[in-house]
Amino acid sequence: MLPVLLGATLAPAAAGERGRVPDQAAEQRVHKAVEQRVHKALDRYGLRDVAPADLEIGTAVAGGGHHLEQDYPDPFTYDEQYREALAREFSSLSPENQMKWEFIHPEQGRYNFEPMDAIVEFAQEHGQEVRGHTLLWHSQNPAWLAEGDFTPEELRAILKDHIQTVVGRYAGKISQWDVANEVFTDGENPTFRPENIWISELGPGIIADAFRWAHEADPTADLFLNDYAVDDIGPKSDAYYALAQELLAQGVPLHGFATQAHLSFEYPFPATLEENLQRFDDLGLETAITELDVRMPLGEDGRPTAEQLEQQADWYRWALEACLGVEDCNSFTIWGFNDKYSWVPVFFEGTGAANVMFEDYTRKPAYWALAVTLAKARWLGIR
């Protein structure tokens, strides 16, 4: 029904120019037509319904982490309005914390699969993909691992068991995995993070092993490198580009590169985002935006201004347009969608309002910027 709703409005505007917009006036007519129809249609539909068929629109599933210290119960389990929006709006789900080591592997030899099983079951019920996050990371490791006295051989066995147990459990149910997460330091001369227990104790070759083990556990899943502050072309993304080339040359089953895209008004928008994604695409890799949010400084009332909301909408749209401009950028995930459950105010004091909906589920201009951009791409054949 939704394609019919869009097509009935857009056909006169496109006037036989499907696949391209011939001039600025025509583009403005198409944009206005899409905007009007999308606002009406999304009273009943979600972002997933207006997206191009080859682009998964995802979000993080709130739970664990900072949520455990808040004055509300687990959002995914107990907030019915949240669950309804989660099912309606998105075609892909990423566990925010439920698959990180401290939650899924809290004790040596014991796994806690219940929260992740619930997410996978929910996704299957609602025709959604799942992204696995994450397997090899320096942060949120359980005390038994971080404070343990293990030999290199024992550590290697622990990591292999974890990867193959977790990936194997969800084989055929999780389509993409962030295998190696945030392995490089920031700055002008990135190096492998010294606080990463796997790399510091076993050497950087463990990254290739992690990909191989994940691939053995599920040969059908796509395996990604993932990090923040790699949106632009620069030293850190260059380090990943070199690592990707090295892994591919070794025949490692690396399938994709992902930028988290945690953006802030404190810094400029990453102007080379599309160019950066394209160079990884040129290596034969899939690309993805995996954790997009756009935080801003807030006053004493904790509310963004109208100008800030418009700027935020621009940034969400520009990030989406960058992904749409790259052929194999097939996954676009925002890191939560409701400000009530955002991680941002907890970790970046004085900032917030980073998501596309207010706490009462009112849709911000950023939401409509995504919706209209997706609908235009779908109808005009941009993808």
Side-chain angles (χ1 to χ4, degrees):
M1 181 62 179
L2 187 58
V4 174
L5 288 172
L6 291 175
T9 298
L10 292 180
E17 295 291 342
R18 185 167 183 162
R20 69 182 182 91
V21 179
D23 55 45
Q24 187 174 9
E27 182 175 5
Q28 290 174 348
R29 290 196 300 272
V30 170
H31 181 87
K32 189 65 175 177
V34 173
E35 185 175 39
Q36 291 173 344
R37 189 61 72 175
V38 164
H39 273 259
K40 181 178 180 180
L42 290 190
D43 286 341
R44 291 181 293 150
Y45 298 96
L47 294 174
R48 63 187 291 180
D49 296 300
V50 296
D54 66 345
L55 182 66
E56 299 294 345
I57 300 299
T59 189
V61 177
H66 76 278
H67 301 286
L68 301 178
E69 303 169 357
Q70 307 306 307
D71 60 356
Y72 51 71
D74 177 62
F76 175 70
T77 305
Y78 297 103
D79 187 336
E80 190 58 36
Q81 188 174 9
Y82 176 85
R83 291 171 64 89
E84 290 174 358
L86 197 67
R88 179 185 68 248
E89 299 287 350
F90 303 102
S91 58
S92 176
L93 305 179
S94 298
E96 185 177 9
N97 293 287
Q98 298 91 330
M99 190 166 267
K100 293 170 182 173
W101 272 71
E102 66 179 350
F103 292 97
I104 205 167
H105 201 164
E107 298 175 9
Q108 189 173 5
R110 182 177 76 84
Y111 290 88
N112 176 27
F113 290 118
E114 184 177 355
M116 193 62 218
D117 285 352
I119 293 173
V120 171
E121 182 179 353
F122 182 92
Q124 291 178 326
E125 289 175 355
H126 296 95
Q128 296 164 310
E129 298 289 330
V130 180
R131 295 192 83 256
H133 179 76
T134 178
L135 298 173
L136 185 154
W137 193 29
H138 68 277
S139 185
Q140 290 187 249
N141 287 322
W144 70 264
L145 175 63
E147 300 170 9
D149 183 20
F150 300 106
T151 66
E153 292 75 17
E154 290 171 332
L155 273 179
R156 182 179 173 85
I158 288 169
L159 180 61
K160 181 178 181 180
D161 173 78
H162 178 94
I163 291 174
Q164 297 207 316
T165 298
V166 174
V167 176
R169 182 179 183 87
Y170 300 108
K173 299 177 181 179
I174 290 184
S175 58
Q176 298 180 340
W177 284 92
D178 294 328
V179 175
N181 193 53
E182 301 175 5
V183 298
F184 286 111
T185 59
D186 302 327
E188 291 301 314
N189 297 292
T191 60
F192 288 113
R193 283 184 177 271
E195 68 270 38
N196 187 306
I197 185 174
W198 312 110
I199 297 174
S200 63
E201 295 295 323
L202 303 175
I206 195 64
I207 296 173
D209 289 333
F211 278 91
R212 294 187 181 104
W213 294 332
H215 185 65
E216 289 172 3
D218 185 1
T220 68
D222 292 329
L223 310 179
F224 281 72
L225 297 165
N226 184 61
D227 209 331
Y228 68 91
V230 292
D231 316 300
D232 267 321
I233 292 177
K236 194 173 183 182
S237 61
D238 286 346
Y240 274 101
Y241 188 77
L243 176 60
Q245 289 178 306
E246 180 181 341
L247 293 174
L248 292 172
Q250 295 173 10
V252 173
L254 168 67
H255 306 119
F257 167 79
T259 177
Q260 296 175 11
H262 291 296
L263 306 182
S264 170
F265 286 178
E266 182 182 0
Y267 309 102
F269 182 84
T272 58
L273 175 57
E274 182 175 341
E275 183 182 355
N276 188 34
L277 294 175
Q278 184 61 56
R279 64 173 175 163
F280 286 92
D281 183 275
D282 292 340
L283 290 178
L285 297 176
E286 295 181 43
T287 57
I289 292 175
T290 53
E291 303 182 22
L292 175 63
D293 47 29
V294 181
R295 65 184 184 269
M296 60 187 74
L298 299 176
E300 292 183 2
D301 64 356
R303 303 289 291 180
T305 66
E307 292 78 10
Q308 285 178 314
L309 290 174
E310 290 303 319
Q311 181 180 345
Q312 183 185 58
D314 286 340
W315 284 30
Y316 268 97
R317 183 178 70 255
W318 295 343
L320 176 56
E321 288 174 343
C323 180
L324 288 169
V326 177
E327 182 177 1
D328 285 324
C329 185
N330 297 322
S331 183
F332 182 88
T333 296
I334 56 179
W335 206 239
F337 59 93
N338 184 301
D339 284 341
K340 178 178 180 179
Y341 300 129
S342 173
W343 71 297
V344 168
V346 178
F347 290 87
F348 299 94
E349 186 176 355
T351 72
N355 298 131
V356 299
M357 293 183 188
F358 291 110
E359 293 187 7
D360 64 356
Y361 294 90
T362 301
R363 294 156 167 171
K364 296 181 185 177
Y367 174 93
W368 295 113
L370 292 181
V372 172
T373 303
L374 289 168
K376 285 174 64 177
R378 176 171 175 159
W379 174 254
L380 296 174
I382 292 174
R383 293 298 295 253

